[in-house]
């Protein structure tokens, strides 16, 4: 229920630069002892990998120190309600690498905020839901030098959107553990980031709002379109969402790209089930890899270093998928996706634009087509655009002309020809072949 985030919105001036010079204090600080690693079956090669890949993770955050005090649970949290704003702080935008004239606010809510200053038209509000960054509290997107922009949320500031971007519960603040890849719960975090942002900046944004997400965040946005809260008035007028490379249905995704292929997700899939104390736990990691799993928490490893934690183990520490393990895991994945997934038969309340790269190496195109078909079968309005020549990370920026125009139309109330039916089409962009 409790979640934390940051808001960004276009305002006036100033540019930031990031320079690598000093080492700010962060929980993912590259410091660990040999004994600590050895205690978890992490020998010298594993330790070498950790140093190398933690350093890559650290580039995601740059020289921004982790604001321990800010991420601490607010004193007035215990009596608060979802959507309540608990802490609000304007950050020094020039310390960050964000577009000139963008102001940056961090908000803790039951969520961080940025205000669009005196524009005559209120800025249209978009909730942005980021892709995988990690599952431990150090991996807060709001604590990154560019707000964890990978040519993603910043695309929204040019056209003048105010962006409220959740960290998702459990990232940044650690009152609760993060629930990775969970369209239903992650959609609550995105939803309440909007409710709280309106309390932080009363009257500043348009009543209409929309959502845009990538990967984990695209599952979030798909979940949001099926979250009955979006038709209440509490958050304003939700007009629809853009879901790019959606992680909506776990079983389909892991069937199309099994973990022994997409091995970087082994620890994350364990998190999905363990953090929920889910009644069926899939069998994913070997005993050697499971012995290291606690290091992800102890050393606060974010996405790159957690993915490489088992790089020295046979098969990256992923178990041998015997038929019985495969069967057991499918049962776990299906039970999970039925309870927490999206596009599993629930009613969709608002229109959804889904963008999928045909060559996406993480979210398989067939899994997304199946999700589209199932959602349309129960009467939901989904537009699926397939892009040849793009991969998982390039799909967000390369498809921006389409989804920015789509958002524009939604906010302007322009009904498009296909507003009331499902459409799947292949789009083209000029790209260099992969
Ligand atoms: C919590 O405290 C902050 C700062 O004192 C205040 O701005 C905010 O409105 C409070 N929120 C609630 C829900 O009481
Ligand atoms: C804001 O950050 C810039 C760049 O790091 C720094 O030069 C400036 O002193 C900071 N301003 C404040 C008020 O802290
Ligand atoms: C914005 O509003 C403030 C205070 O109301 C005013 O001082 C400032 O000049 C305005 N800025 C612009 C660009 O309109
Ligand atoms: C949560 O964070 C606080 C302060 O940052 C730290 O003291 C505490 O040990 C953390 N708790 C967990 C469960 O990680
Ligand atoms: C999608 O499914 C089709 C038909 O089963 C298959 O030929 C194709 O290779 C699959 N595509 C991918 C990317 O897995």
């Amino acid at each position: 229920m409790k979640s934390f985030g940051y808001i960004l919105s276009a305002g006036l001036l100033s540019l930031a630069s990031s320079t690598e010079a000093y080492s700010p204090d962060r929980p993912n600080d590259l410091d660990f002892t040999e004994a600590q690693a050895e205690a978890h079956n992490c020998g010298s090669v594993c330790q070498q990998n950790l140093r190398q890949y933690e350093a890559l993770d650290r580039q995601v955050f740059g020289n921004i120190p982790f604001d321990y005090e800010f991420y601490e649970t607010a004193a007035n949290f215990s009596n608060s309600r979802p959507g309540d704003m608990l802490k609000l702080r304007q950050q020094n935008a020039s310390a960050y690498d964000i577009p000139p004239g963008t102001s940056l606010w961090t908000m803790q809510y039951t969520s961080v905020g940025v205000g669009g200053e005196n524009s005559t038209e209120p800025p249209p509000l978009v909730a942005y839901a980021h892709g995988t960054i990690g599952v431990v509290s150090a991996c807060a997107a709001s604590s990154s030098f560019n707000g964890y922009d990978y040519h993603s949320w910043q695309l929204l500031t040019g056209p003048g959107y105010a962006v409220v971007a959740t960290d998702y519960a459990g990232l940044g603040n650690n009152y609760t553990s993060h629930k990775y890849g969970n369209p239903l719960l992650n959609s609550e975090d995105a939803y309440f980031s909007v409710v709280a942002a309106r309390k932080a900046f009363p009257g500043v944004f348009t009543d209409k709002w929309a959502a845009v997400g990538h990967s984990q965040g695209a599952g979030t946005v798909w979940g949001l379109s099926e979250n009955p809260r979006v038709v209440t008035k509490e958050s304003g007028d939700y007009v629809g969402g853009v879901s790019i490379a959606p992680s909506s249905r776990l079983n389909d995704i892991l069937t199309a790209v099994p973990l022994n292929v997409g091995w970087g997700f082994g620890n994350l899939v364990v998190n999905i089930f363990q953090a929920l104390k889910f009644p069926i736990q899939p069998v994913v990691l070997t005993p050697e890899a499971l012995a290291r799993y606690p290091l992800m928490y102890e050393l606060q490893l974010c996405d790159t270093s957690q993915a490489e934690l088992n790089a020295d183990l046979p098969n990256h520490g992923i178990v041998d998928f015997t038929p019985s393990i495969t069967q057991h895991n499918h049962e776990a994945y299906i039970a999970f996706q039925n309870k927490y997934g999206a596009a599993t038969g629930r009613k969709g309340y608002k229109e959804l634009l889904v963008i999928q790269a045909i060559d996406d190496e993480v979210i398989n195109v067939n899994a997304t087509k199946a999700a589209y078909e199932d959602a349309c079968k129960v009467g939901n309005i989904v537009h699926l655009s397939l892009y040849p020549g793009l991969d998982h990370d390039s799909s967000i920026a390369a498809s921006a002309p389409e989804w920015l125009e789509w958002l524009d139309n939604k906010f302007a109330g322009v009904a498009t020809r296909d507003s009331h039916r499902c459409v799947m089409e292949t789009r083209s962009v000029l790209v260099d072949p992969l």
Side-chain angles (χ1 to χ4, degrees):
M1 227 19 150
K2 316 296 182 177
S3 165
F4 298 83
Y6 57 108
I7 304 180
L8 300 138
S9 100
L12 303 171
L13 68 144
S14 93
L15 177 59
S17 61
S18 75
T19 48
E20 303 297 326
Y22 78 111
S23 188
D25 179 18
R26 298 192 54 95
N28 49 341
D29 62 3
L30 309 174
D31 283 344
F32 57 84
T33 63
E34 252 174 61
Q36 194 178 12
E38 304 281 357
H40 294 286
N41 185 42
C42 177
S44 61
V45 181
C46 170
Q47 290 170 34
Q48 211 177 314
N49 286 335
L50 271 180
R51 288 201 179 86
Q52 177 183 349
Y53 293 109
E54 272 199 279
L56 291 181
D57 272 337
R58 282 300 302 273
Q59 292 175 8
V60 168
F61 301 95
N63 284 334
I64 303 294
F66 191 83
D67 189 344
Y68 290 91
E69 191 204 327
F70 175 78
Y71 290 115
E72 227 169 63
T73 306
N76 58 3
F77 163 71
S78 53
N79 298 320
S80 66
R81 300 186 24 221
D84 279 352
M85 188 272 292
L86 302 172
K87 293 183 187 177
L88 182 65
R89 197 164 298 177
Q90 180 158 25
Q91 302 292 349
N92 178 357
S94 41
Y96 292 79
D97 186 8
I98 57 177
T102 302
S103 55
L104 172 65
W105 297 70
T106 50
M107 167 178 76
Q108 192 176 102
Y109 57 99
T110 311
S111 206
V112 182
V114 183
E117 285 175 43
N118 46 356
S119 32
T120 43
E121 296 278 308
L125 181 61
V126 170
Y128 173 74
H130 66 72
T132 303
I133 188 172
V135 298
V136 298
S137 54
C139 317
S142 61
S143 79
S144 148
F145 73 102
N146 66 359
Y148 194 41
D149 175 68
Y150 41 100
H151 302 286
S152 51
W153 67 262
Q154 293 190 3
L155 295 165
L156 288 157
T157 59
Y161 291 100
V163 182
V164 54
T166 184
D167 277 330
Y168 308 120
L171 302 181
N173 173 277
N174 65 7
Y175 179 83
T176 182
S177 61
H178 178 51
K179 310 297 184 298
Y180 178 67
N182 192 313
L184 190 135
L185 294 180
N186 298 166
S187 85
E188 301 281 41
D189 297 343
Y191 176 83
F192 284 113
S193 73
V194 170
V195 175
R198 292 195 189 283
K199 289 180 187 162
F201 298 98
V204 167
F205 313 116
T206 51
D207 187 47
K208 286 185 180 175
W209 68 283
V212 174
H214 175 246
S215 196
Q216 175 182 8
T220 303
V221 170
W222 203 319
L224 193 61
S225 75
E226 298 175 355
N227 186 328
R229 294 187 205 279
V230 296
V231 285
T232 67
K233 284 287 151 211
E234 182 191 27
S235 64
D237 176 13
Y238 180 68
V239 295
V242 179
S243 178
I244 306 162
S247 57
S248 41
R249 303 204 311 184
L250 187 68
N251 185 61
D252 296 13
I253 295 165
L254 294 181
T255 301
V257 186
L259 286 169
N260 50 5
V261 178
W263 45 262
F265 289 88
N267 288 318
L268 304 184
V269 171
V270 172
N271 165 275
I272 289 179
F273 288 86
Q274 282 198 0
L276 290 165
K277 303 189 170 65
F278 202 73
I280 322 177
Q281 295 284 324
V283 179
V284 170
L285 299 178
T286 61
E288 293 72 27
L290 269 178
R292 289 184 189 173
Y293 183 75
L295 280 177
M296 184 165 73
Y297 291 89
E298 241 174 68
L299 306 181
Q300 292 284 296
L301 304 179
C302 295
D303 190 37
T304 310
S305 45
Q306 71 73 28
E308 302 288 351
L309 177 59
N310 301 320
D312 60 319
L313 297 180
N315 203 19
H316 278 87
I318 303 293
V319 294
D320 180 16
F321 289 121
T322 61
S324 81
I325 289 181
T326 301
Q327 176 60 30
H328 170 82
N329 286 359
H330 281 319
E331 279 167 25
Y333 300 156
I334 289 170
F336 170 85
Q337 84 181 19
N338 285 341
K339 184 151 188 201
Y340 293 107
T344 57
R346 291 192 187 88
K347 177 182 167 57
Y349 294 95
K350 295 286 169 168
E351 204 179 311
L352 184 71
L353 171 63
V354 178
I355 307 271
Q356 173 69 47
I358 290 172
D359 300 309
D360 191 315
E361 70 288 10
V362 176
I363 302 294
N364 183 281
V365 62
N366 290 336
T368 297
K369 281 182 182 169
Y372 163 83
E373 270 150 24
D374 272 38
C376 293
K377 209 157 54 191
V378 297
N380 301 340
I381 308 298
V382 181
H383 293 167
L384 172 58
S385 291
L386 301 171
Y387 281 81
L390 302 180
D391 61 14
H392 189 63
D393 283 345
S394 61
S395 54
I396 181 165
S399 65
E402 180 185 5
W403 57 260
L404 285 171
E405 183 185 357
W406 188 91
L407 283 176
D408 224 17
N409 286 333
K410 284 282 151 219
F411 278 97
V414 176
T416 54
R417 184 166 47 94
D418 297 317
S419 303
H420 301 290
R421 64 186 188 107
C422 281
V423 179
M424 173 163 70
E425 59 189 345
T426 302
R427 313 274 295 210
S428 63
V429 285
L430 284 173
V431 288
D432 297 328
L434 287 174

